[in-house]
Amino acid sequence: MNSPGRAVVRAWRSMWSRWILLAVVCLLLAMDAYGVSFFGGGRVDPDRVGNLGDWFAGIATAGAVIVAGSGLRRDRIEAELARVQRERAATGEVYSWIEFRRLRPGRRTPVLLVVNRTTSPVYDWEVTLAGCRHRPVGHETHGPLLPEARVIELDEDDLGGATAGPVKTTVSFTSSLGKKLTRDSNGLLTEVE
């Protein structure tokens, strides 16, 4: 479909085109009820139709109602988006990964980074390393996870069974809303029943 055709389809599907079409139909029905016709003869009774000022006042009132309704709808949508963002900030923004850093001269040390980007501490959390023999890393050994990055130094023995590729981590935690969540190394967040 060409560009003008797409523009027509997009305009037809928009909410504003439906409101405008409804307003035009209402205007035509009101004109027909008062005996005003574009295509037929007939005499217009000024007492039934009213003056031009009344028509403009009616159109202005209808326009004000439409604008107020669209403003209320927009405010409701923005409030819902803000609620979703607050809930997301309070629940699932916990990540973990492995990096190699030079903590001592001439040696790269594996470190586990656990980042809490929520607005509150996470008290129940645990990180598992896929394919590695490692000691448990979680709230029992390192306490609550505050809203910041936690750097945990690992031993070479912790990564002893790892393959040559990057070590995959999985962080399991309970959010401040009581949801049990798991985030894998690809960033996929799933809720645990």
Side-chain angles (χ1 to χ4, degrees), residues 138-152:
H139 66 278
E140 294 173 352
T141 56
H142 293 86
L145 188 60
L146 300 176
E148 58 188 31
R150 166 89 45 102
V151 178
I152 301 168

Side-chain angles (χ1 to χ4, degrees), residues 121-137:
V122 175
Y123 294 101
D124 181 20
W125 64 279
E126 183 174 276
V127 176
T128 57
L129 306 177
C132 299
R133 298 182 307 269
H134 68 90
R135 63 186 186 277
V137 178

Side-chain angles (χ1 to χ4, degrees), residues 101-139:
R101 294 187 176 178
R102 293 196 186 277
L103 300 179
R104 293 172 196 86
R107 183 173 174 211
R108 289 171 30 124
T109 305
V111 293
L112 172 66
L113 280 97
V114 186
V115 178
N116 176 6
R117 292 187 182 151
T118 66
T119 56
S120 59
V122 175
Y123 294 101
D124 181 20
W125 64 279
E126 183 174 276
V127 176
T128 57
L129 306 177
C132 299
R133 298 182 307 269
H134 68 90
R135 63 186 186 277
V137 178
H139 66 278

